[in-house]
């Protein structure tokens, strides 16, 4: 089994199947490495497992605190760690949408353009097509006009290839759902002011401007008959994509390199929305739950990693449950076990192992899938990735560490989901737990890490009990955010839909 992970975007965790099981180089003969010093390693492992433990009372506390923080964040901006950002998505897809719609997903050094032909309730999605475009590095440091002109040009070329099953209704402008995964202050479904560029971008002249206007103006400069109908966050897009197929979809969670969650909220349950006029009784709220920090079981390794991060004291939930960090936590445990406990013989610590983030979450996932008698895949990952020669006893310890960190992450993510559902249930007085409720999941961590996925579901069942948890359906919604943005463009189209 080989494992790859691309640059840190929320859904970039990926596991592919090939050669870990068949090691092409000669087997490493361990003679100089003595058997793991259980006296040195065992106490470290025991303490780690104790510090990471998520028994039912801990899960309950996390779920309750998540619900409380949601309420505080809805009451007033800055009321809690959770930003509880209003998405201005008041109109969700119903299945009645018809016509040709586009989506643009800009979240990193690549962006994706997509088109979808919708046929209403009977035909649903008639056809989809997409292309991925790489942004030249120099444009990441260019002017706002140069970047958006490049994006508009790629979108225009893609639109010119329209044909086959794709047909724009007469008299209509092509409408776009724009997924923009950078910090923006959204003021309506069609406007969002860029707060700052992240992820290595340093484009001049965009901060403080409406990114929708930037794109619309670039398309106008090229004479393109296209305009943005909806500006959306990727998590919101995932929920819209799930809702199109299933009216019971109420929550969406992304668990990939990063993590976030959004849900359908009643407008009358949002005190900070008091002055806003809305015809709809519901809207989607983007929790930005990665910033949650209340009552999480943390270890010395979490605290060290956080202190050395670019954002110390922030995004603690994300640092505990998401794919960007699980492998790094395991690496830090291994370094201590190697130094103090002689995990790999005496106090030897290979140079590679002391490199931050060299051990990635796909690596620890691959090691946990190893069912061979000698744990050959574990041996291969440790040797290739961390420069470590290991005996079987050490490899077993490594698998235990991976399981401990994945178990805590999965169970805390499950408690977070229950916290959201709990808050919705308390406000709706029985409309959530009393009927089928779907939680749409996206992201490579959830998709490719079966143990993590199992621990998440286990925590949800423990917290809700076997009867209520039967009504909560946790479904994988692969790549829902792309088509979700196009569906939101359709749902918020300036043209009326046939009912």
């Amino acid at each position: 089994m080989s494992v790859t992970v691309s640059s840190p975007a929320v859904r970039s965790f990926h596991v592919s199947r090939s050669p870990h099981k068949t090691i092409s180089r000669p087997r490493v003969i361990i003679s100089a490495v003595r058997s793991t010093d259980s006296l040195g390693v065992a106490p470290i492992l025991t303490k780690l497992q104790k510090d990471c433990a998520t028994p039912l009372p801990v899960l309950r506390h996390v779920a309750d605190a998540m619900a409380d923080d949601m309420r505080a964040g809805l009451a007033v901006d800055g009321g809690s760690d959770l930003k509880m950002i209003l998405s201005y998505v008041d109109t969700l897809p119903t299945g009645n949408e018809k016509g040709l719609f586009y989506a643009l997903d800009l979240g990193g050094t690549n962006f994706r353009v997509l088109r979808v032909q919708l046929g209403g309730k009977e035909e649903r999605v008639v056809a989809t097509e997409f292309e991925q475009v790489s942004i030249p590095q120099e444009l990441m440091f260019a002017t706002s006009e140069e970047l958006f002109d490049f994006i508009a040009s790629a979108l225009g070329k893609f639109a010119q290839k329209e044909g086959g099953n794709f047909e724009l209704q007469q008299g209509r402008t092509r409408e776009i759902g724009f997924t923009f995964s950078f910090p923006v202050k959204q003021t309506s479904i069609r406007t969002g002011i860029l707060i700052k560029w992240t992820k290595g971008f340093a484009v001049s002249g965009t901060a403080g401007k409406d990114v929708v206007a930037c794109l619309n103006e670039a398309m106008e400069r090229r004479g393109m008959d296209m305009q943005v109908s909806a500006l959306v966050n990727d998590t919101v897009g995932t929920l819209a994509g799930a809702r199109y197929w299933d009216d019971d979809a109420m929550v969406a969670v992304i668990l990939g390199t990063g993590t976030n969650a959004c849900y359908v909220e009643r407008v009358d349950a949002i005190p900070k929305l008091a002055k806003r006029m809305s015809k709809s009784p519901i809207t989607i709220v983007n929790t930005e739950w990665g910033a949650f920090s209340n009552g999480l079981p943390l270890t010395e390794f979490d605290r060290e990693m956080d202190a050395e991060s670019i954002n110390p004291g922030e995004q603690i939930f994300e640092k505990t449950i998401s794919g960007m960090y699980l492998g790094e936590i395991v690496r830090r445990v291994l370094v201590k076990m190697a130094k103090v406990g002689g995990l790999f013989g005496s106090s030897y610590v290979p140079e590679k192992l002391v490199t931050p983030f060299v051990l990635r979450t796909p690596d620890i996932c691959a090691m946990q899938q190893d069912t061979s008698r000698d744990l050959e895949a574990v041996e291969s990952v440790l040797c290739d990735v961390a420069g470590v020669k290991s005996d079987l006893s050490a490899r077993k310890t490594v698998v235990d560490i991976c399981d401990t960190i994945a178990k805590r992450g999965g169970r805390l993510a499950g408690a977070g989901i229950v916290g959201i559902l709990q808050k919705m249930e308390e406000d709706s007085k029985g409309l959530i737990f009393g009927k089928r409720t779907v939680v749409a999941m996206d992201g490579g961590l959830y998709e490719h890490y079966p143990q993590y996925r199992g621990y998440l579901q286990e925590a949800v069942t423990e917290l809700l009990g076997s009867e209520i948890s039967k009504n909560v359906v946790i479904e994988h919604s692969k790549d829902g955010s792309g088509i979700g943005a196009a569906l939101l463009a359709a749902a918020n189209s300036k043209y009326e839909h046939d009912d």
Side-chain angles (χ1 to χ4, degrees):
M1 179 193 277
S2 73
V3 187
T4 57
V5 62
S6 62
S7 62
V10 166
R11 294 177 309 282
S12 63
F13 178 116
H14 175 66
V15 178
S16 60
R17 307 262 168 197
S18 65
H20 270 326
K21 289 290 181 190
T22 337
I23 303 169
S24 54
R25 54 185 169 64
R27 280 290 303 277
V28 177
I29 307 298
I30 311 293
S31 55
V33 179
R34 65 184 174 80
S35 193
T36 302
D37 181 352
S38 59
L39 289 175
V41 167
I44 300 171
L45 180 59
T46 302
K47 185 173 188 320
L48 178 74
Q49 290 169 332
K50 183 184 172 190
D51 291 346
C52 286
T54 49
L56 193 53
V58 169
L59 295 180
R60 279 227 170 87
H61 174 83
V62 168
D64 291 345
M66 181 70 75
D68 289 345
D69 276 10
M70 287 170 68
R71 288 186 195 287
L74 289 171
V76 60
D77 281 334
S80 81
D81 286 341
L82 304 189
K83 288 192 173 72
M84 304 303 285
I85 297 167
L86 307 176
S87 69
Y88 294 89
V89 173
D90 302 335
T91 309
L92 287 162
T94 61
N96 293 319
E97 294 80 12
K98 288 183 180 180
L100 172 62
F101 296 91
Y102 278 73
L104 166 65
D105 188 345
L106 176 62
T109 51
N110 298 312
F111 65 89
R112 198 168 56 148
V113 288
L114 173 145
R115 63 177 146 250
V116 58
Q117 187 77 37
L118 303 174
K121 281 274 193 217
E122 296 302 312
E123 297 180 81
R124 294 281 176 158
V125 176
V126 176
T128 59
E129 278 180 351
F130 74 90
E131 281 182 9
Q132 188 149 302
V133 182
S134 291
I135 297 174
Q137 192 159 8
E138 63 270 17
L139 285 180
M140 294 172 69
F141 305 95
T143 66
S144 184
E145 276 195 11
E146 287 168 332
L147 175 63
F148 281 98
D149 279 347
F150 176 80
I151 293 167
S153 170
L155 195 50
K157 287 174 188 169
F158 180 64
Q160 283 170 3
K161 297 175 192 171
E162 230 175 63
N165 292 318
F166 299 96
E167 187 182 351
L168 185 69
Q169 286 169 261
Q170 202 167 0
R172 289 195 173 191
T173 296
R174 287 170 182 80
E175 294 181 284
I176 305 167
F178 185 11
T179 304
F180 187 77
S181 301
F182 296 90
V184 293
K185 180 169 176 53
Q186 199 154 348
T187 50
S188 80
I189 187 68
R190 292 184 179 87
T191 54
I193 309 302
L194 179 72
I195 297 166
K196 63 176 178 179
W197 287 105
T198 55
K199 306 177 191 178
F201 281 74
V203 177
S204 61
T206 327
K209 286 191 178 174
D210 176 10
V211 293
V212 172
C214 290
L215 180 58
N216 281 338
E217 286 161 13
M219 292 189 293
E220 281 170 27
R221 283 194 292 274
R222 306 192 72 80
M224 293 163 59
D225 189 23
M226 301 181 91
Q227 65 180 174
V228 176
S229 289
L231 176 67
V232 299
N233 161 280
D234 56 355
T235 319
V236 172
T238 297
L239 180 51
R243 184 70 169 236
Y244 180 73
W245 298 104
D246 194 331
D247 288 341
D248 294 333
M250 299 295 283
V251 180
V253 176
I254 289 182
L255 283 164
T257 307
T259 184
N260 196 10
C262 71
Y263 70 105
V264 178
E265 181 59 281
R266 289 169 38 212
V267 168
D268 63 8
I270 310 176
K272 69 181 180 183
L273 194 57
K275 294 178 184 174
R276 186 179 151 223
M277 299 297 290
S278 176
K279 295 175 186 173
S280 171
I282 60 156
T283 189
I284 296 179
V285 173
N286 166 19
T287 66
E288 292 291 338
W289 81 350
F292 176 75
S293 62
N294 196 328
L296 300 175
L298 301 177
T299 69
E300 62 185 281
F301 308 103
D302 298 297
R303 292 186 180 93
E304 285 169 8
M305 181 181 73
D306 175 53
E308 293 169 25
S309 71
I310 57 168
N311 55 348
E314 298 175 13
Q315 299 297 108
I316 304 300
F317 196 46
E318 182 164 81
K319 288 171 182 170
T320 314
I321 71 168
S322 82
M324 180 77 186
Y325 301 99
L326 301 185
E328 172 62 6
I329 300 165
V330 170
R331 183 197 70 81
R332 287 171 178 271
V333 178
L334 293 181
V335 168
K336 178 167 183 179
M337 283 192 174
K339 275 183 186 171
V340 178
L343 179 63
F344 304 116
S346 69
S347 58
Y348 170 64
V349 184
E351 193 178 332
K352 266 175 133 177
L353 188 60
V354 297
T355 307
F357 292 93
V358 71
L359 191 67
R360 304 157 309 153
T361 300
D363 298 322
I364 72 168
C365 173
M367 290 192 283
Q368 264 203 278
Q369 308 321 308
D370 190 355
T371 55
S372 66
R373 194 187 66 181
D374 294 332
L375 297 177
E376 293 169 14
V378 178
E379 178 190 12
S380 179
V381 169
L382 289 173
C383 185
D384 295 345
V385 176
V388 167
K389 291 182 179 179
S390 57
D391 62 16
L392 183 58
S393 174
R395 296 198 283 274
K396 285 179 177 175
T397 299
V398 170
V399 172
D400 284 343
I401 298 164
C402 294
D403 185 65
T404 300
I405 300 306
K407 182 175 185 176
R408 179 186 64 168
R411 284 172 66 81
L412 288 176
I417 290 170
V418 171
I420 292 174
L421 293 171
Q422 209 169 279
K423 192 266 171 207
M424 296 168 76
E425 168 73 7
E426 285 163 6
D427 286 356
S428 64
K429 298 175 180 60
L431 292 181
I432 298 297
F433 293 155
K435 68 173 187 63
R436 180 175 178 273
T437 298
V438 173
V439 179
M441 307 292 298
D442 198 5
L445 174 60
Y446 181 82
E447 181 182 359
H448 295 295
Y449 204 149
Q451 288 87 351
Y452 184 101
R453 197 165 58 237
Y455 286 134
L456 184 154
Q457 181 67 66
E458 174 188 274
V460 170
T461 304
E462 274 181 42
L463 279 163
L464 295 179
S466 56
E467 282 309 305
I468 290 176
S469 63
K470 283 176 190 170
N471 289 337
V472 176
V473 181
I474 298 177
E475 279 186 351
H476 182 221
S477 174
K478 184 174 171 59
D479 197 31
S481 67
I483 195 167
L487 291 167
L488 284 170
N492 291 276
S493 170
K494 62 182 180 180
Y495 307 103
E496 298 224 357
H497 294 293
D498 300 327
D499 288 323

